[in-house]
Amino acid sequence: MLRNIISRRKPKLRRLQRRCIQSESTVFAVPPPTPTPNFPGEPLKPSIKGSIPGAKSQELMKRLDQYQETRTQHFFVDYEKSMGSYIVDVDGNVMLDLFCQIASLPIGYNNPALIEAYDSKEWKTALINRPAIGVAPPSNWPDLLENSFMSVAPKGLNQVWTAMCGSCANEIAYKAAFMHHQYKKRGSADFSPEELSSCLNNSEPGSPDISILSFRGGFHGRLFGSLSTTRSKSIHKLDIPAFDWPVADFPKSKYPLHEHEAENRAEEDRCLDNVRNILQNNSNVAAMIIEPIQAEGGDNHANPYFFKNLQQIAKEFDVTFIVDEVQTGVGATGKFWAHEHWNLESPPDIVTFAKKMQAAGFYHNIEFRPQQGYRNFNTWMGDPIRALQLQTTLQVIKDLDLVENVKITGKYLHDGLNQLQDSHNVLSNIRILGTFGAFDLPTPQVRDTLQTKLRNNGVQMAPCGDRSLRLRPMLTFTPDHALQFLQILDTTLHEL
């Protein structure tokens, strides 16, 4: 039934695009078939009426600037008119969205399955009555956990802690790792009077000198603990006190990975030795955290070899191994969890999530549940309406075979970008896993110019790292959408 809801749509898009395979100077392959049907009511293509941001967006920015920061905003959105993979601004400009609310939208704007679910009594009750889950959970909360979060739990992990955002998911995961670390030292003994009193003065032994190891280029959030492990951009960290925690090198890979195996293996071994040296000289490291792809830091990739050996080092030094899947999770890499590409012999100790999950938190096993209540705790501890949204989203992903669509679309997108790299010398370092990808431009200025021109030609993208543009489409992004993007990118590159 759900597939029938999604596939009710005019068939013009596929026919139109297949008559337009050739763009400015590049002939792209015919888009391959995909099991995912067309999105109902979606625009046929981008439509730009004027420069972006337009007059209405600029007026709204002027009003909003009286009360809130506006310098980061691209434009104001008409969310009622946005549909599928297309975002519509208040000036009527229709753009193909490859940024998707900072990589957080999985199944398209105004997905009919979510609209239908919204009409249910269960959804309305959850919207009107927000509970403090830690003390008064709703009667359907166990069912919701089983049908949403736990139905896609990483293999080998059977516990979930629900949070509010990616930053707090990581922050609370750190607390769980710290408490587990200290429990292993203390055993079943009660807290000492000295521990109980000293922690209120932020001093030892109650506030121990222990740390989280992170990696250069990583991004894990903007709260105090998560910001201390963020190592991507200075602007995120300036003026904020930080914990004096260790940082290791992340591999500076050459792309494509498979064409530079020897150089990349040497670089990965160097970084693994760096981690080992840090742990040998820092006995206070309780955990390490790493992203499968360093997203905000520039879409930095490494081979499964690196991650598998990193986990082994963590086990050797009895350090909690945390995988930050806030941006890479939920199918974008062609597997539901990006760390599945590593083929680990045992699961990570903790996997954090947010964004496309429509909710946030972390998976773990029972040993990371604190021995006492109220230690990892807050008022909301998640939100049932987001669990309901995730439940419907996961059903759409399953019914429409969206992870398979990502694999098919990702290969077509990768091949097309490689063609453009061959014909435009400003493009370099194409790297994509599924549809989660990026490419480099010669300088930050050229990157920023291309981003602006793409937006005014009908494609919404965003930067990462020093000189990269990232691709973060929805799971409903098909090869037909990819062809549209490739054609617009080809045209726009000729305008540079």
Side-chain angles (χ1 to χ4, degrees):
M1 178 180 176
L2 182 57
R3 180 175 289 271
N4 291 335
I5 293 173
I6 298 293
S7 61
R8 291 189 204 115
R9 141 162 218 221
K10 296 179 181 178
K12 294 180 181 178
L13 177 61
R14 188 175 298 272
R15 292 203 304 266
L16 173 67
Q17 291 179 339
R18 290 196 173 184
R19 291 200 301 267
C20 304
I21 301 294
Q22 183 163 357
S23 62
E24 289 287 325
S25 61
T26 307
V27 178
F28 297 106
V30 172
T34 174
T36 300
N38 292 332
F39 197 100
E42 189 178 62
L44 296 179
K45 59 182 180 180
S47 174
I48 303 301
K49 297 183 176 182
S51 62
I52 303 171
K56 291 182 180 179
S57 274
Q58 291 182 47
E59 178 59 30
L60 287 168
M61 286 179 186
K62 184 177 178 181
R63 285 182 55 198
L64 183 61
D65 195 59
Q66 299 174 87
Y67 317 111
Q68 284 188 334
E69 169 70 73
T70 60
R71 287 170 294 181
T72 61
Q73 294 169 0
H74 299 168
F75 46 80
F76 276 75
V77 180
D78 187 333
Y79 284 105
E80 186 176 351
K81 292 181 180 177
S82 299
M83 195 71 62
S85 287
Y86 295 85
I87 188 168
V88 181
D89 74 4
V90 293
D91 291 276
N93 296 298
V94 179
M95 291 159 276
L96 182 63
D97 193 356
L98 273 73
F99 190 35
C100 300
Q101 310 300 321
I102 318 180
S104 68
L105 287 185
I107 58 172
Y109 292 107
N110 288 301
N111 190 287
L114 289 171
I115 293 171
E116 182 176 329
Y118 171 77
D119 286 333
S120 71
K121 183 178 180 180
E122 189 177 29
W123 274 58
K124 292 175 181 176
T125 299
L127 277 168
I128 295 168
N129 306 285
R130 186 173 183 180
I133 292 173
V135 295
S139 60
N140 63 343
W141 188 237
D143 286 339
L144 274 180
L145 287 183
E146 292 170 359
N147 295 330
S148 57
F149 300 103
M150 297 314 301
S151 71
V152 290
K155 185 178 179 181
L157 301 182
N158 57 31
Q159 303 280 303
V160 65
W161 204 99
T162 49
M164 298 307 303
C165 68
S167 292
C168 58
N170 285 330
E171 193 93 359
I172 298 166
Y174 297 172
K175 289 176 61 182
F178 286 144
M179 286 184 273
H180 177 62
H181 178 84
Q182 292 302 98
Y183 175 78
K184 287 186 293 183
K185 286 184 175 182
R186 187 184 296 112
S188 57
D190 288 337
F191 301 114
S192 70
E194 188 179 9
E195 287 174 318
L196 292 170
S197 61
S198 62
C199 71
L200 298 178
N201 294 318
N202 297 341
S203 60
E204 297 186 77
S207 297
D209 180 20
I210 51 180
S211 63
I212 306 286
L213 171 67
S214 59
F215 291 81
R216 301 188 196 282
F219 181 88
H220 303 290
R222 300 170 187 263
L223 301 177
F224 274 101
S226 55
L227 189 60
S228 291
T229 55
T230 287
R231 314 282 185 165
S232 53
K233 294 178 182 177
S234 300
I235 197 66
H236 299 149
K237 296 172 68 75
L238 285 166
D239 298 333
I240 311 300
F243 295 110
D244 186 17
W245 290 349
V247 58
D249 292 339
F250 188 89
K252 294 182 179 179
S253 301
K254 293 185 176 181
Y255 305 106
L257 294 178
H258 69 275
E259 291 184 8
H260 300 89
E261 291 183 0
E263 301 100 311
N264 289 337
R265 176 61 61 88
E267 172 66 359
E268 289 170 354
D269 283 338
R270 182 190 71 79
C271 293
L272 291 167
D273 288 342
N274 178 227
V275 172
R276 183 179 295 277
N277 182 63
I278 290 170
L279 295 179
Q280 286 173 340
N281 291 282
N282 291 268
S283 59
N284 68 343
V285 177
M288 66 172 70
I289 185 166
I290 196 161
E291 300 162 273
I293 300 170
Q294 287 189 327
E296 177 70 23
D299 268 41
N300 305 315
H301 292 235
N303 286 295
Y305 167 86
F306 172 73
F307 296 103
K308 292 173 77 169
N309 280 276
L310 188 65
Q311 185 193 40
Q312 290 305 309
I313 292 173
K315 289 183 177 182
E316 179 184 341
F317 287 88
D318 197 19
V319 167
T320 297
F321 187 57
I322 305 173
V323 178
D324 180 347
E325 291 254 26
V326 166
Q327 193 160 156
T328 54
V330 195
T333 67
K335 291 185 181 292
F336 197 90
W337 299 110
H339 73 265
E340 294 175 38
H341 289 282
W342 306 341
N343 295 314
L344 299 175
E345 293 182 3
S346 60
D349 295 308
I350 292 174
V351 176
T352 62
F353 61 85
K355 290 192 182 286
K356 283 187 174 67
M357 283 283 277
Q358 306 303 289
F362 63 91
Y363 293 102
H364 60 99
N365 280 331
I366 192 70
E367 61 266 26
F368 288 94
R369 185 187 294 185
Q371 298 302 304
Q372 301 82 14
Y374 288 101
R375 299 195 69 196
N376 258 347
F377 188 84
N378 59 49
T379 298
W380 304 125
M381 291 181 65
D383 189 349
I385 193 62
R386 297 306 167 196
L388 285 166
Q389 190 174 1
L390 173 61
Q391 180 177 280
T392 300
T393 295
L394 293 175
Q395 192 63 52
V396 172
I397 291 172
K398 179 181 178 181
D399 288 352
L400 302 186
D401 210 356
L402 293 185
V403 177
E404 181 64 22
N405 174 65
V406 167
K407 295 177 186 177
I408 295 169
T409 304
K411 183 181 186 308
Y412 180 76
L413 187 59
H414 199 175
D415 291 345
L417 284 170
N418 282 332
Q419 285 183 261
L420 291 177
Q421 183 175 241
D422 291 340
S423 57
H424 296 278
N425 59 14
V426 295
L427 286 188
S428 64
N429 293 326
I430 308 294
R431 60 255 192 217
I432 295 183
L433 191 59
T435 56
F436 193 108
F439 52 83
D440 289 349
L441 284 304
T443 66
Q445 293 75 24
V446 173
R447 186 268 311 275
D448 294 345
T449 298
L450 178 61
Q451 179 193 357
T452 300
K453 287 182 176 292
L454 280 169
R455 185 178 300 144
N456 283 290
N457 285 341
V459 172
Q460 166 73 341
M461 295 186 72
C464 63
D466 294 329
R467 56 189 182 97
S468 303
L469 278 179
R470 55 179 141 173
L471 295 88
R472 298 292 188 270
M474 304 174 200
L475 307 184
T476 52
F477 182 83
T478 67
D480 286 318
H481 296 118
L483 173 60
Q484 215 171 70
F485 163 65
L486 292 168
Q487 292 173 326
I488 293 172
L489 178 59
D490 190 18
T491 297
T492 310
L493 287 167
H494 280 284
E495 296 175 3
L496 290 178

